[in-house]
Amino acid sequence: MARYEITTAKSAGFCFGVDRAVKLVYQALSEGRRVATLGPIVHNDAVVGDLQARGARIISDVSELTPGETLIIRAHGVPKAVYDRLKEMQNPVIDATCPFVARIHRIAAEQTAAGRDVLIAGDPKHPEVQGIVGHCNENCTVFRDAKELKCLIDRKCGKGLAIVAQTTYNKLLWGDCIDPLPKNDPDLLIFDTICNATAARQSDADALSRQSDLMIVAGGKHSSNTVKLYDVCSRNCRTWHIEDAAELRQHADEILGAVKAVLEEKGSGHVLRIGITAGASTPAYIIKEVQTNMSEIIDTTAAPENEEINFADALDQSFRKIRKGERLKGVVVSISGNNEVMVDVGAKQTGYITLSELTSDTSKKPSDLVKVGDELELVVIQVNDAEGMVQLSKRRVDEMIGFENILKAQEAGEVLEGTVLSVVKGGLVADCDGVHVFIPASQSGLGRGADLNVLLKQKVRFVIIDVNEQRRRAVGSIRQVQKAERDAAQAKFWETAKVGDVFTGEVKSLTSYGAFVDLGGIDGMVHVSELSWSRIHQPSDVVAVGDTLEVYIKALNPETGRISLGHRRPEDNPWVKFTNEYQVGDVVEATVVSVTAFGAFARIITGVDGLIHISELSTERVANVKDVVNVGDVVTVKITGIDTEKKRISLSMRAVAGDDEAPAEEADEVVYSDEAPAAEAEAPAADDAEA
Ligand code: SF4
C-alpha cells in the first residue's frame, strides 16, 4: 500500500460571505418563513437541494415573488433597480449581499456620481459583475484582462476613470492589469476590490499544489472561484476538479493510475503528497467526505512490482510513521488499572491513552468505556521516540467528530439532543456527543425569570444557532425547536381539523369564562357553559389545570385562529335521562337542595330538581316551609306534574300521604333547565329552578 499524506488547504470551503448567506436562509426557514432566493444561494447542488427540500424556492426575477414571501438576496448582490423594485413590492427582504460586494456597489455609485466611468475587471456574465454594473448608472465597461483594459484606457479621451475588480478576479491577472498603470493619476483611480478570502484561497492552493503530487479541487462546476482554484493548481501538479465525493470515486481509476506513475518515478518509499482545496461554495461536510474517500482510494494501491526492498526497509516500512496531530485508528491491547489504556497503532511506538484523554466524564473507569480488542479512533498528542511511546486521545477525536456533527447539523438546521450538564450565568450548558453547547436563558424554552435548574440532567432538544469554529463553541436554542414544532402542529391541525372532531387534551389554563385545552400544539377554549350539565359558577368548579378533558370541536375560525370546544355530551343530558326514567305518579326519594318562602326544591337525579310547593308539603296547612323540610333532608315525594316544554317538575309530599286532592292554592311549577347559555356568553345562564 502506498504511503501518503493528505493535506487540506486552511482556507478551503465556505468563505465568510457565502457562509453568512447560507445561514441566513436556514435561519429564515427555521423561523417558519416562506423563502425565495434570487438565483441559487450558493453554487453547490447539495446545499441548494437541501434548502429546496426545506421549502426555499429559487426564482429568477422578483416578479415571481408571492405576497408575503421573504426574498433573500444572495452574496453576489443585485443591481440597484432590483432594490427599487422590491421597495415598491413591499415583500420582506433579507439582504445577504456580502459586505465586500456591497463595498464595490458603494464605490461604483460614488464614482459614477463624481462623473467617472467605472471599469470593472471580471466576467460580464457573472451575476456579481451584473450587480456592480447596475450601480453604475450605465457609465461602465467590463474588461477581462490587461489587453482589454489598455484599449479602454487608450480610448478614454480625457474622461476620469475608476477601476474596480470582481471580488473573485484572479490576483495574478489583476497585477498584469494594474502594474503598468500610473499610480497617482487623479483621472485614473484604482480600487483593489479582490476579496482577501479569494486571494488567500488562491495563494494557499498555489502553495499546496507546489508541494503536492496530486491535487483535488472540490466545488461546483459553475463556481467561478472553484474553477480559478483548479486553474491555479493544475499549473503545478495533476489536478482534478470534482463536485463531491461521488464524483471523486468516478475518477478513482485515473487517480490510481496517477499514483502509480508518481511511485514509479519517485520510488515506492516516496510519501505521496495529496492536497485538497475547495471553492467558497463548498460546505465542510463535502470536504470531509472527499478527504475520507481519497484515503480509501489511495489505500487500494499496491507498491510497484519488482521493487527491490531490503528486509530492514521492509520492516521499517511495515510500521506507520506517526506524527503529532495525526488522526488514526488503534486497537486496545490492555487496560491498566483505573488510569490508562494501551493501544496498538501499527507503529514502532506503543500507544497509550490516559483516562482524561479517554473521556471527559471523570466518574468513569477505562474498563467502563473500552475493552481489549476494541478499535478506537484517536488523535496523536505527543510522540516520544526516545521512550518509544505515543500519547493518544480519544476524547479530542470525539469532540472533533461531535463538532463536525454540530457544524453539519447547523448547516442542515437539524435538531440535536443533549443532556443539560450545568446551569451557568445567562443560561445552560448541554453536552451533545462530547461537545458543550451553550443555551442562553432566552432560548431555554422556559418563561422569563423561570428557574433553569428544572432542566438540569434533563435531555433537551435544540438547534444550533451560532458556532465559533475557532473557539469550538456552539450556541443552541430549545425555543426554536419548540416554536417549529408548534408551528408544524398548528399547520397540521388547520389542514385536517373539522367540526365534530374529538380530542383528549390537557387543560393548560383557566379563566373566569372558560378552560383552554391543548389539542396537540394548539389550544382551544371550552366555554364555562360547556363544561357541565349542572350549573357552575366558574370553570374551576369542575376542572383544574393539568386535568385531561375529552372535548370536541364546536366551531373553527382559521382566520382568527379561534377554536370553540364542547365538553358536555348530549347523551349525558340529565333532563333526557329523567324523562326516560320517570313519569307523573311515580313516588321517588329526593334531596332538598334549597328552601324558599313558597316551597322547597328537591333533587331527583343530578341536574334535575323539582319544586314541592308549600301547599304540597303536608296534609296540614304549613305556615313556614322550614317547619317541615330543610336543606339536606331526603324526602319521599310524588311526581305530580312534568312540563316537558318548560322543563318543570311538580312534586308533592302531601300526595304521598294519601291526599291527592288539589289544595285551595294552585301549586307553583318547578323548573328544570338543561339548556346552557350560548357558548360565547359571559357566564352560564342561571338555572331557573334556583333563581
Ligand atoms: Fe464575500 Fe469574498 Fe466570499 Fe465573495 S468570496 S462572498 S466577496 S467573502
Side-chain angles (χ1 to χ4, degrees):
M1 189 187 296
R3 292 187 297 153
Y4 62 91
E5 274 180 11
I6 297 180
T7 308
T8 301
K10 272 195 258 78
S11 52
F14 273 6
C15 65
F16 153 77
V18 170
D19 190 44
R20 172 175 171 266
V22 171
K23 280 180 183 155
L24 284 170
V25 184
Y26 277 111
Q27 188 182 327
L29 287 169
S30 74
E31 288 166 2
R33 296 196 196 202
R34 286 186 296 113
V35 167
T37 62
L38 195 51
I41 195 78
V42 57
H43 289 304
N44 186 286
D45 291 345
V47 177
V48 170
D50 184 54
L51 289 169
Q52 283 180 312
R54 288 161 194 273
R57 279 194 327 128
I58 299 175
I59 57 171
S60 53
D61 189 277
V62 290
S63 62
E64 294 165 43
L65 281 170
T66 56
E69 193 170 31
T70 298
L71 179 78
I72 301 188
I73 297 173
R74 57 189 175 166
H76 293 323
V78 291
K80 183 174 175 297
V82 174
Y83 287 104
D84 295 343
R85 180 80 201 285
L86 285 166
K87 248 187 216 161
E88 287 164 18
M89 293 176 66
Q90 297 193 335
N91 279 67
V93 176
I94 295 175
D95 190 351
T97 304
C98 176
F100 299 130
V101 177
R103 175 178 166 246
I104 309 179
H105 291 176
R106 275 197 304 279
I107 293 171
E110 283 164 13
Q111 294 306 319
T112 306
R116 293 192 176 88
D117 273 2
V118 179
L119 305 183
I120 306 161
D123 173 359
K125 291 197 188 121
H126 193 281
E128 180 193 318
V129 174
Q130 290 170 348
I132 299 166
V133 168
H135 288 263
C136 295
N137 205 13
E138 296 183 0
N139 298 321
C140 63
T141 312
V142 181
F143 65 94
R144 290 177 181 274
D145 53 27
K147 200 170 146 205
E148 286 185 16
L149 176 64
K150 186 167 182 312
C151 292
L152 290 170
I153 292 175
D154 289 346
R155 289 204 313 255
K156 79 170 186 169
C157 305
K159 191 154 193 235
L161 296 176
I163 305 176
V164 297
Q166 183 181 344
T167 54
T168 49
Y169 194 70
N170 185 307
K171 201 78 176 158
L172 301 174
L173 289 182
W174 176 251
D176 292 347
C177 294
I178 301 308
D179 290 349
L181 300 180
K183 295 294 170 290
N184 294 314
D185 182 349
D187 286 336
L188 184 60
L189 301 185
I190 298 166
F191 299 89
D192 181 352
T193 51
I194 295 179
C195 167
N196 276 342
T198 305
R201 193 180 296 102
Q202 285 175 12
S203 86
D204 278 359
D206 186 42
L208 182 59
S209 57
R210 283 175 197 279
Q211 297 159 6
S212 300
D213 297 307
L214 313 172
M215 273 301 289
I216 305 295
V217 178
K221 290 284 159 59
H222 305 296
S223 156
S224 71
N225 75 84
T226 310
V227 171
K228 277 174 199 143
L229 286 177
Y230 172 78
D231 291 345
V232 167
C233 296
S234 55
R235 281 186 218 148
N236 300 325
C237 68
R238 181 83 190 266
T239 304
W240 285 264
H241 176 181
I242 46 100
E243 290 213 330
D244 52 23
E247 194 184 343
L248 180 75
R249 287 265 173 204
Q250 289 166 13
H251 292 287
D253 288 345
E254 270 173 48
I255 292 169
L256 289 173
V259 167
K260 198 169 167 216
V262 171
L263 291 177
E264 278 172 0
E265 186 196 329
K266 298 189 177 175
S268 63
H270 174 68
V271 177
L272 270 173
R273 296 194 193 283
I274 298 151
I276 296 177
T277 187
S281 345
T282 310
Y285 77 89
I286 287 187
I287 299 171
K288 181 77 192 105
E289 281 170 9
V290 168
Q291 284 169 340
T292 310
N293 278 266
M294 194 65 194
S295 296
E296 287 169 6
I297 290 169
I298 303 294
D299 284 345
T300 61
T301 56
E305 285 172 11
N306 306 325
E307 190 80 24
E308 282 187 22
I309 302 173
N310 68 34
F311 180 76
D313 284 347
L315 184 64
D316 200 38
Q317 284 176 19
S318 72
F319 289 119
R320 296 179 51 118
K321 292 270 185 291
I322 302 283
R323 288 177 189 79
K324 188 176 170 184
E326 182 181 343
R327 260 167 85 163
L328 44 71
K329 288 188 175 151
V331 176
V332 176
V333 290
S334 70
I335 299 172
S336 61
N338 290 337
N339 301 320
E340 253 173 30
V341 174
M342 308 307 284
V343 178
D344 177 8
V345 288
K348 283 189 277 190
Q349 302 93 332
T350 304
Y352 71 98
I353 315 167
T354 59
L355 179 60
S356 63
E357 291 299 338
L358 190 63
T359 176
S360 52
D361 184 350
T362 47
S363 67
K364 295 258 169 41
K365 294 192 301 237
S367 54
D368 296 336
L369 303 162
V370 293
K371 58 183 187 314
V372 172
D374 281 357
E375 189 181 68
L376 307 178
E377 195 150 342
L378 304 161
V379 63
V380 178
I381 306 176
Q382 203 61 257
V383 180
N384 189 332
D385 282 328
E387 291 181 14
M389 301 295 280
V390 180
Q391 192 186 358
L392 303 157
S393 174
K394 176 174 182 299
R395 176 179 59 81
R396 295 183 199 193
V397 172
D398 291 346
E399 284 173 7
M400 282 181 227
I401 294 170
F403 203 77
E404 283 158 13
N405 290 340
I406 292 268
L407 289 172
K408 275 191 207 167
Q410 188 196 21
E411 264 175 28
E414 189 188 319
V415 176
L416 298 171
E417 190 175 88
T419 305
V420 176
L421 296 177
S422 57
V423 174
V424 295
K425 192 175 172 206
L428 306 163
V429 175
D431 173 76
C432 180
D433 290 339
V435 179
H436 288 187
V437 177
F438 174 66
I439 299 170
S442 61
Q443 299 297 323
S444 68
L446 301 175
R448 185 188 283 262
D451 182 5
L452 297 178
N453 285 299
V454 296
L455 293 176
L456 206 52
K457 309 272 180 255
Q458 301 294 313
K459 286 227 180 300
V460 290
R461 298 169 66 243
F462 50 83
V463 286
I464 301 297
I465 53 174
D466 194 24
V467 171
N468 182 327
E469 286 187 52
Q470 263 153 11
R471 300 178 71 197
R472 292 194 167 263
R473 299 263 165 86
V475 180
S477 170
I478 299 172
R479 191 168 70 90
Q480 283 195 11
V481 174
Q482 291 174 342
K483 182 177 179 306
E485 289 177 349
R486 252 195 331 272
D487 290 350
Q490 289 183 5
K492 189 167 172 225
F493 176 88
W494 288 112
E495 255 173 41
T496 56
K498 56 188 183 308
V499 170
D501 283 355
V502 176
F503 293 84
T504 301
E506 187 182 314
V507 176
K508 303 300 281 186
S509 62
L510 297 176
T511 65
S512 59
Y513 52 84
F516 287 86
V517 178
D518 177 16
L519 306 178
I522 187 163
D523 290 352
M525 203 237 344
V526 190
H527 190 263
V528 64
S529 61
E530 273 295 332
L531 283 169
S532 171
W533 284 107
S534 304
R535 180 180 182 229
I536 59 172
H537 296 287
Q538 54 201 6
S540 58
D541 291 347
V542 287
V543 288
V545 171
D547 283 359
T548 300
L549 220 57
E550 186 169 289
V551 292
Y552 64 93
I553 297 176
K554 289 189 73 183
L556 286 166
N557 187 338
E559 270 160 35
T560 60
R562 291 183 69 179
I563 306 157
S564 297
L565 302 173
H567 173 59
R568 302 188 313 177
R569 292 183 307 172
E571 60 270 31
D572 295 334
N573 184 336
W575 178 258
V576 176
K577 277 189 175 173
F578 171 77
T579 52
N580 285 341
E581 291 174 21
Y582 297 91
Q583 55 190 345
V584 172
D586 285 355
V587 174
V588 296
E589 300 274 283
T591 305
V592 176
V593 290
S594 67
V595 172
T596 69
F598 55 85
F601 292 94
R603 181 150 299 162
I604 304 163
I605 61 172
T606 304
V608 181
D609 303 342
L611 175 66
I612 317 166
H613 191 267
I614 190 167
S615 60
E616 294 294 331
L617 284 171
S618 169
T619 51
E620 307 294 325
R621 181 173 183 79
V622 176
N624 186 343
V625 176
K626 285 190 178 171
D627 292 344
V628 184
V629 289
N630 281 291
V631 171
D633 289 353
V634 177
V635 294
T636 305
V637 291
K638 189 173 199 173
I639 300 172
T640 54
I642 299 175
D643 182 339
T644 310
E645 205 172 308
K646 293 183 181 165
K647 293 179 184 157
R648 292 177 173 177
I649 304 158
S650 306
L651 304 173
S652 173
M653 289 167 67
R654 187 170 61 77
V656 175
D659 183 357
D660 274 350
E661 207 172 294
E665 306 162 55
E666 188 55 43
D668 243 338
E669 284 174 318
V670 181
V671 176
Y672 165 78
S673 172
D674 70 330
E675 278 173 15
E680 303 306 325
E682 272 288 308
D687 182 322
D688 292 346
E690 291 183 357

